[in-house]
Structures are given as structure tokens and as C-alpha cells.
Amino acid sequence: MPKILIVGGGYAGFYTAWKLEKHLRTNEAEVVLVDPLSYMAYLPFLPEVAAGAIEPRHAVVSHRRHLKKTKIVNAKVTGIDHANKTATITPEGGESWEYQYDEIVVTAGSISRTFPIPGIAENAIGMKSIEEAVAVRDSLIRNFERAASLPKDSELRKRLLTVVVVGGGFAGIETFAELRSSANALLQKFPEISFDETEFHLIEAMGRIMPEVSLETSHKVLADLGQRGAHVHLDTQVADATDGIVRTKVKNEAGDMVDGPVYPTDIIVWTAGVMANPKVVNGSDLPREPRGRITTQADLRVVDAEGNVVAGAWAAGDIAAVPDKTGGLPDGTCVPNAQHAVRQAKRLAKNLVAVIRGEQTVDYFHKNLGAVAGLGLGHGAFQSGKFALTGFLAWAAHRGYHGLAMPTWERKWRVLWGWYHNFFLGRDQVQLTKVQEPRAFFEEYASRPKPKQD
């Protein structure tokens, strides 16, 4: 049987394996999926996880539960030698080993794109994984608990009640708005803290937010956020974040960047773009374009600089530069988002089976049907062509779309059931930061052998 190796179990990797199980005949091919994580995270739900509106485990899909015919290997692919069709697989704490394959599918996704700004690496956190979303949720709740016991004129109290989000794209605005909504719910449980004490700042280097929607819709979102006590700073850049003190640069009337406001904070969420997973790309001999993505043709097969197909190699999702056949994108390739990753994976699975059977492949073609964003309980934004909605109806459309888009009925039911419970019971806003140190309490009080007497 031909051996198919899938590198990465995120959106594109999971859906490729899932659909291969559907399309492949019995014993037609062996499929192996390698990922250090045992699950796929549904990234559009991360802002709601951070806000306590969705339970973390409900926003992930277990590989082993739902990929019944695929061999799962929880490890990292640390090298791809496609010239010899060999991958180096490195398990945590174990020795690396080589795997010979016939077809490779690279779907290792993307990471947060950062810049060498002092203090960001040490103090900020992204919003690209379920673990990051949980950490932000726990930090926000814990900060409220700490601030409530401090005097009102305390500098530490002000810092604990300040949140800064960097990046005004969909991920940043959704995270920003959901955290503001979560804080509003927390205020009902903390009479010691007033609404005016909580400060939420979003910093965006461009002159607008949410480029995926019209300028008019983005202005409505800005107005809505302003009414809810959330401050958006356009034409503003983070200059320094040392010790968690965010110093900014703002554009003046002459177009020059000058020193701007300073925001001491305990939570800095970085959502200013993504880049292809560099460790996987740089550890392979597959061709790539200047932005670091693996180059493919429209049927998802990898191609070199001259456009020649690299036999046995495929790529999809954020790590791949896939041609945009609709002609609607400026650089000619599909943008890195979940909508494309899922659809590319479905097409890739069909094309890979077609190649195994000696049949023709079909080009990937997907015209964006619109964009929808959840901006906190009861607030949202929706854009499809010239048609736009904001407010409750857009929020309902967001939940309806993503509730249905969540893979597998088992996962859909858990998410929908959680939303139903929260409607009557409210958010379950309990922080579990101590789970990161599970032995601390036991170790503090554990009896130890007495020192030997000489």
C-alpha cells in the first residue's frame, strides 16, 4: 500500500485525514498523521474560550476519537527529505526515527507573527492555541480577584484591571470585544470594582480595523466598542512592552510617529498577524516563496519555482501559498484562514485519491461568501458583498455559522449544549491558574526524611 504522511493535525491536517478515510477504499493506502498535540483546535472559538463562553475541551476535536482509520503519532516532524521521501519524527523525550513515505501532505499551519519589540516576547501572549485562550481567561479572572483586595488608589490595582490587545484584524477585534464582555460579567460579581476602573485598549498600526469588512461596517463596530467602554487606538504602534508597560508611538497630523500614551498592564494579547510554521518549512527541502510558505499549484500539489510539480508532495492551509483562482486577492494567493484551510483539505483529499487511482485532479476554487465575527454576548458583525449586519442578528449568525461548521456532531452538540446552559446559568467564570503547578500544595506540606545524624 502507498504510505501517506500528514504533517500537522490542525484544520487542514485533520480534515485531510478525515476525508481520506471517507474516500479511500479498504487497504488502498496507509495514512499516518503526525502532530505533537492529540487534537485539532477550532480557532474561531478561541475568543469565546478566553471569555469563558465556551469550555476549552469543547473547542477541540480529538484525533483518536474521530480518525478511526488513521495512525496517530504524537510527535514532531523535525525534518523532511523529500528527495529521498523520508521524514524525521521526534517524539517528546525520545529518540528520533525515520519514516519512509510515498506521499506527504504538509499542513503544519502557522504561528503568531511578531516583531523584535522589547518586552513582547517576555510579556505578551498570542491567541493561536487553546492553551493561550485558557491562560488569558484565567489571568483576567485572577486579576479581578487580586484587584478587589487592593486599595482603589493602588497602581497595581490599575495595572491588573487594564488589558491591551495588539492587532485590529478579525482575531484581535473578536478577542478584544469578548474580553470586554467577559469583564462586564465579572463586574457583577465584584462590587468592589467599578466599571470605570477597567481599561481595555486595542492598538492597531493601520488607520482602520477589520479589513475583511467594509469601512462603514468597521465604523459601526468601533462605535459599538466605544459605547461598551473599549478604546481602539488607530495609527498607533507598540514601541516597547518591557516589564508589561506598553509604550506606544502615534501618527501625528504631519504623518510622523511620535511618543504616545503608556499603558501598564498585566495582560498583553498579540494578534498582529501570522506566518507559516518556520520549523517545518525550514526543516524541509520543499520549495517555498519569499513569505516562507510552501508553493503549490491550484490542485494543492507542491510546485517548484518553474511551476514543475514535485511528485508526491502536497500542502494546504496557512503553511501553503495556494493560488487564488477567483482573482479577488491582491497577491494572487489564498489568505491564511480557517475557511480556506478546511475547503483546501477537502479538495486535497479528493485529488490525492485521484492521483493514487491514476485519475485527473481538480483545481481548488472558493469564492469568499462573507465574514462573520462575534463581538461579545449579543454583539456581532456580518458582511457578505455589500450586505452587512451588526448587533444581535450578526451575533446570532456568527454562532449559527460556527456551531454548524464545528466538525463532527459530537463536538457540535457539546458546544450548542454549553451555549444553552450559559443562557440560563451564565458564564462559568472560575480561574484554575494553579493547574499549572498541580504538585505545589502537596509538595509544600509533604513530610520529608530527617537529615542523617553524623
Side-chain angles (χ1 to χ4, degrees), residues 44-63:
F45 282 157
L46 295 188
E48 289 200 60
V49 171
I54 293 179
E55 284 301 302
R57 284 187 176 86
H58 296 174
V60 301
V61 182
S62 168
H63 290 155

Side-chain angles (χ1 to χ4, degrees), residues 139-440:
S139 294
L140 182 67
I141 300 170
R142 183 168 177 265
N143 284 1
F144 267 69
E145 294 169 351
R146 294 173 62 193
S149 63
L150 295 170
K152 286 196 177 249
D153 59 353
S154 166
E155 288 297 320
L156 177 57
R157 178 178 173 124
K158 181 178 180 180
R159 177 177 179 140
L160 291 171
L161 296 176
T162 300
V163 174
V164 174
V165 177
V166 184
F170 253 57
I173 290 295
E174 286 190 298
T175 299
F176 184 60
E178 289 287 357
L179 290 177
R180 176 71 266 186
S181 178
S182 179
N184 291 346
L186 282 170
L187 286 170
Q188 300 173 20
K189 302 177 179 66
F190 289 87
E192 307 92 336
I193 301 173
S194 67
F195 177 85
D196 293 338
E197 287 185 275
T198 59
E199 292 190 21
F200 282 73
H201 300 278
L202 183 135
I203 298 172
E204 169 53 46
M206 305 298 289
R208 62 162 297 177
I209 61 169
M210 302 173 73
E212 299 89 344
V213 302
S214 68
L215 191 60
E216 181 183 3
T217 302
S218 72
H219 285 164
K220 289 181 180 179
V221 172
L222 285 174
D224 177 61
L225 290 171
Q227 291 174 358
R228 291 155 61 192
H231 309 287
V232 177
H233 309 280
L234 302 177
D235 294 318
T236 304
Q237 299 176 5
V238 175
D240 194 297
T242 303
D243 297 327
I245 300 173
V246 177
R247 296 173 173 83
T248 65
K249 293 281 188 181
V250 299
K251 186 181 292 185
N252 62 17
E253 294 181 358
D256 299 321
M257 301 303 293
V258 298
D259 290 343
V262 176
Y263 307 109
T265 177
D266 197 54
I267 298 178
I268 305 171
V269 184
W270 183 274
T271 63
V274 299
M275 62 182 291
N277 189 321
K279 289 188 176 181
V280 173
V281 174
N282 295 335
S284 79
D285 57 356
L286 296 173
R288 71 205 70 169
E289 41 94 83
R291 292 171 58 184
R293 297 177 298 171
I294 296 171
T295 52
T296 77
Q297 60 185 22
D299 65 358
L300 290 314
R301 284 188 284 188
V302 174
V303 292
D304 61 21
E306 288 73 39
N308 301 313
V309 171
V310 178
W314 307 74
D318 291 2
I319 204 168
V322 179
D324 171 36
K325 301 290 283 187
T326 68
L329 295 174
D331 73 345
T333 60
C334 298
V335 296
N337 62 23
Q339 192 173 141
H340 281 301
V342 170
R343 287 169 172 81
Q344 288 170 10
K346 293 178 180 179
R347 171 48 54 199
L348 191 158
K350 290 181 178 178
N351 284 346
L352 180 48
V353 172
V355 167
I356 290 174
R357 295 174 183 169
E359 300 169 355
Q360 293 295 313
T361 62
V362 176
D363 286 350
Y364 171 73
F365 181 94
H366 172 66
K367 189 172 183 179
N368 190 6
L369 301 177
V372 61
L375 305 173
L377 197 60
H379 300 263
F382 171 78
Q383 182 91 41
S384 180
K386 295 183 178 180
F387 179 74
L389 281 175
T390 56
F392 180 82
L393 289 178
W395 171 79
H398 170 267
R399 285 208 161 177
Y401 172 79
H402 286 296
L404 292 174
M406 183 72 176
T408 81
W409 281 103
E410 178 257 340
R411 292 285 102 181
K412 294 183 204 293
W413 181 250
R414 290 183 189 274
V415 171
L416 294 172
W417 195 243
W419 281 338
Y420 176 79
H421 279 162
N422 285 352
F423 181 79
F424 294 102
L425 304 176
R427 306 171 198 252
D428 191 3
Q429 292 179 304
V430 178
Q431 58 92 3
L432 298 173
T433 52
K434 289 296 183 182
V435 76
Q436 304 301 325
E437 305 173 81
R439 294 188 63 256

